Amino acid sequence: MTKKLLTMASTLALVAGAAFADDKPKIGAAVYGLNAEFMQIWAQALQNHPAVKQGLVDVTVFDGKYDALTQQDQFETMITQGFDAIIFVPIDIEAGAAAVDAAAAANIPVFGSNTRVNSDKLAAYVGSDDVQSGYMEAKYVLDKIGCKGNVVIIEGPVGQSAQIQRLEGNKKALAECPDVKVLEDQTANWSRAEAQTLMENWLTAHPGEINGIIGQNDEMALGAIEAVKAAGLDPKSFAIAGIDGVTDALHAVKDGNMASILQDGAAQAQGALDLAIAAVLPDYKPMSEIWTAYPDMPWADGKAKEYSVPWTPVTADNVDALLAARQ
Amino acid sequence: MERNEQTTAGPRLTAGAIAQKYGILIALALACVTLTFISENFLTTRNILNVLRQTSINGVLAIGMTFVILTRGIDLSVGSLVALTGVVASSFATTATTGFIPGAPWPALLAIAIGLVVGMACGGVSGTIVARFRVPAFVATLGMLSAARGLTLLYSGGRPIPALSEGFRWIGTGSLFGVPVPIFVLLGTFAVAHFVLTQTRFGRHVYAVGGNPHAAKVSGLPVNGIRFAVYVISGGLAGLAGIILAARTGSALPQAGIAYELDAIAAVVIGGTSLAGGIGRVSGTLIGALLIGVMNNGLDLLGVESYYQQVIKGVLIVAAVMMDRSKNKQD
């Protein structure tokens, strides 16, 4: 009995001790939602960051469940629990601003990653320029069809920042090819199944007329490929491009059916984490290998406001390495 | 249903009565004729096959939903079950997972069977909660909607399951005599469901339980068993739809099927089945699903923005229920 009590007491003391002695910086990551592959890769990259693996900091990821209010509540939680820094991937460019304000008022630095938020209180932002990727994918399609013929654009949900910026990039490239006609231009809400239906109907509406397919993400480009196959046509006879570099798209690039532009979510996550740690630990040197992998994105002592992670076109040359990294 | 046929038969078969009885069929015919005139590509073999194939998933879900709604129930979980059964079945159908024979994938039929069983099991859980524990169907299946989506994400780790075997993909992309397989699946499901509802004792019991549960109980029908069974049917058909979807897109996506339950309910309601139970038929549901499919297809062919499609679908649903109400009042 006495022994049992002693064990209990010492266990309690240990637990209490752990709670008090743990003065490791606590960093919270509030992401818009974890249901899709891209954010899974992003979140996994945080846990794989050397500083986390060596136990330098504690990282907690909060799933925003695609709801602005949920994210706001999670900010409140992090503020009351005394987190030292926050990494923020907002669902909505406007609605996230109030959450950033609240954290800034509590003197907790907030670092944006992947998706922008309309706030001047962000300590820094690590992301990739969607206008550029929109330009790159459209340019690939237009080059492949020789700057003439007809294309269709499958857009993301109208009004989302990635849709707006990728469309701007698409149009920039299209302006360089005035002979190319955009036959159709509609949203499939980032969804493979929706894009498949849309493309099936477009192939019916414009038989033999479509030369290029610009999908604003990989999922929708993959849906278009399935529609092309279902119509008994060869995807290789079309110019098809998408953005993000999800695993299925890497396989499709390998098969020669499409082009994709890799958005390095892992680098966006690890870059933001390095910045967050540097804000908390004054002598910290960045530990992620991304800073050597991307010489175009200098660390700048962690003092810059904007870090732009370069896009990587997925080609037959690098696709095997990229696929291997996904295992 | 039987009542309607009696009141509209014989000399009382006026134009108004015809419009009410065949309203949905007339609407479908009108939509097809109009589209044929304004889009040269509508009435082509390939496009008709496209519409049917695009309708197959919603059609299969809606047929299952008809059974549930006939008993005064509702199944909100089918969209999530599409995703869950899709990822579970697909995990046994990738070219990487090996089955009994080393180096060869699992036989596609086994993967399909696993998907169907998972769907039926989830339907069985909902059915038990509704029939045995008297939880309202709305609440029980709302719970299943959330739980099944969570299980889908847990099972798949939030990532798609790619590289499905050729055999498995055949059910979504293959053809027989030039007609895509999903269309056969839809028509086969319809034929079986129609037979069960009109020619079997179980079918009559489904109508009886929905028409007057108290009377059904008093006359000794196994009311609980029938309530349980309709959710198993709906879950199993959700599994079938999930398998078709994964096979069609070539990859099982954990975020697939979101809000599919709403389109399925819409098809049932447009097809004239009463949410009050006991009245309706599966042929109406099929026509309702086809009307939604034709509309989406036609508006795409005409280059109409997808947002209009949602508005038009909303108007259709309400119009169908209003017609249903005036019909019942007449009785």
Side-chain angles (χ1 to χ4, degrees), chain A residues 35-37 40-41 44 158 184 186-187 192-193 196-198 200-205 207 219 226 230 248, chain B residues 41 46-47 50 53-54 153 157-160 162 169 248-249 251 253 255 297 300-301 303-307:
Chain A
N35 286 11
E37 186 188 2
Q40 290 284 339
I41 293 172
Q44 202 172 30
V158 177
E184 298 278 0
Q186 205 157 136
T187 182
R192 195 183 302 193
Q196 190 170 351
T197 301
L198 199 59
E200 280 170 356
N201 292 340
W202 284 348
L203 286 168
T204 307
E219 287 291 341
E226 290 304 323
D248 281 2
Chain B
N41 299 309
R46 207 180 82 193
N47 191 53
N50 263 348
R53 186 172 49 196
Q54 288 163 8
L153 292 164
R159 298 188 178 200
R169 291 212 60 191
R248 222 162 100 67
T249 51
S251 180
L253 304 170
Q255 59 273 36
N297 169 264
D300 274 352
L301 290 185
V304 178
E305 249 195 279
S306 62
Y307 299 160

Side-chain angles (χ1 to χ4, degrees), chain B:
Chain B
M1 195 73 257
E2 308 297 322
R3 278 180 296 151
N4 287 332
E5 273 164 15
Q6 278 158 18
T7 50
T8 49
R12 286 180 55 205
L13 202 62
T14 58
I18 292 173
Q20 273 176 351
K21 185 162 179 218
Y22 298 106
I24 177 68
L25 197 56
I26 294 168
L28 178 62
L30 270 180
C32 289
V33 170
T34 314
L35 283 167
T36 306
F37 277 110
I38 52 180
S39 167
E40 50 178 324
N41 299 309
F42 177 75
L43 200 66
T44 55
T45 315
R46 207 180 82 193
N47 191 53
I48 298 305
L49 291 180
N50 263 348
V51 172
L52 289 169
R53 186 172 49 196
Q54 288 163 8
T55 303
S56 60
I57 288 165
N58 187 33
V60 167
L61 289 176
I63 289 169
M65 188 71 77
T66 309
F67 279 85
V68 176
I69 290 181
L70 279 174
T71 64
R72 296 189 179 183
I74 194 94
D75 189 349
L76 300 178
S77 69
V78 293
S80 295
L81 292 185
V82 161
L84 178 63
T85 55
V87 298
V88 174
S90 297
S91 67
F92 290 95
T94 71
T95 44
T97 49
T98 49
F100 309 115
I101 310 160
W106 288 77
L109 275 178
L110 190 69
I112 291 167
I114 290 170
L116 294 178
V117 167
V118 169
M120 287 164 75
C122 291
V125 172
S126 296
T128 307
I129 296 170
V130 171
R132 179 91 177 74
F133 298 101
R134 311 257 163 232
V135 173
F138 189 96
V139 177
T141 59
L142 189 63
M144 182 56 73
L145 175 149
S146 179
R149 181 67 61 186
L151 287 173
T152 308
L153 292 164
L154 281 173
Y155 188 83
S156 64
R159 298 188 178 200
I161 293 171
L164 306 181
S165 70
E166 282 301 314
F168 184 78
R169 291 212 60 191
W170 181 80
I171 193 172
T173 58
S175 296
L176 277 177
F177 318 113
V179 177
V181 176
I183 298 178
F184 286 107
V185 176
L186 172 63
L187 296 179
T189 307
F190 165 72
V192 172
H194 184 74
F195 177 81
V196 168
L197 279 180
T198 57
Q199 307 296 327
T200 67
R201 191 156 55 158
F202 173 75
R204 285 194 297 279
H205 288 177
V206 168
Y207 280 102
V209 168
N212 190 338
H214 186 66
K217 187 150 203 167
V218 171
S219 42
L221 298 191
V223 175
N224 279 355
I226 290 158
R227 283 212 179 111
F228 169 80
V230 293
Y231 289 93
V232 174
I233 292 170
S234 176
L237 289 180
L240 189 57
I243 290 160
I244 301 173
L245 182 66
R248 222 162 100 67
T249 51
S251 180
L253 304 170
Q255 59 273 36
I258 289 173
Y260 278 22
E261 61 278 356
L262 300 181
D263 264 1
I265 294 169
V268 176
V269 168
I270 292 173
T273 295
S274 167
L275 284 172
I279 299 173
R281 43 181 156 180
V282 78
S283 56
T285 298
L286 184 65
I287 297 169
L290 283 172
L291 186 58
I292 295 174
V294 164
M295 230 174 39
N296 288 345
N297 169 264
L299 296 176
D300 274 352
L301 290 185
L302 299 174
V304 178
E305 249 195 279
S306 62
Y307 299 160
Y308 287 106
Q309 300 179 7
Q310 301 180 24
V311 174
I312 293 170
K313 196 159 68 194
V315 171
L316 256 183
I317 294 169
V318 177
V321 175
M322 281 168 69
M323 212 150 89
D324 187 54
R325 288 227 139 187
S326 66
K327 190 163 70 183
N328 290 342
K329 215 180 275 170
Q330 205 182 39
D331 289 353

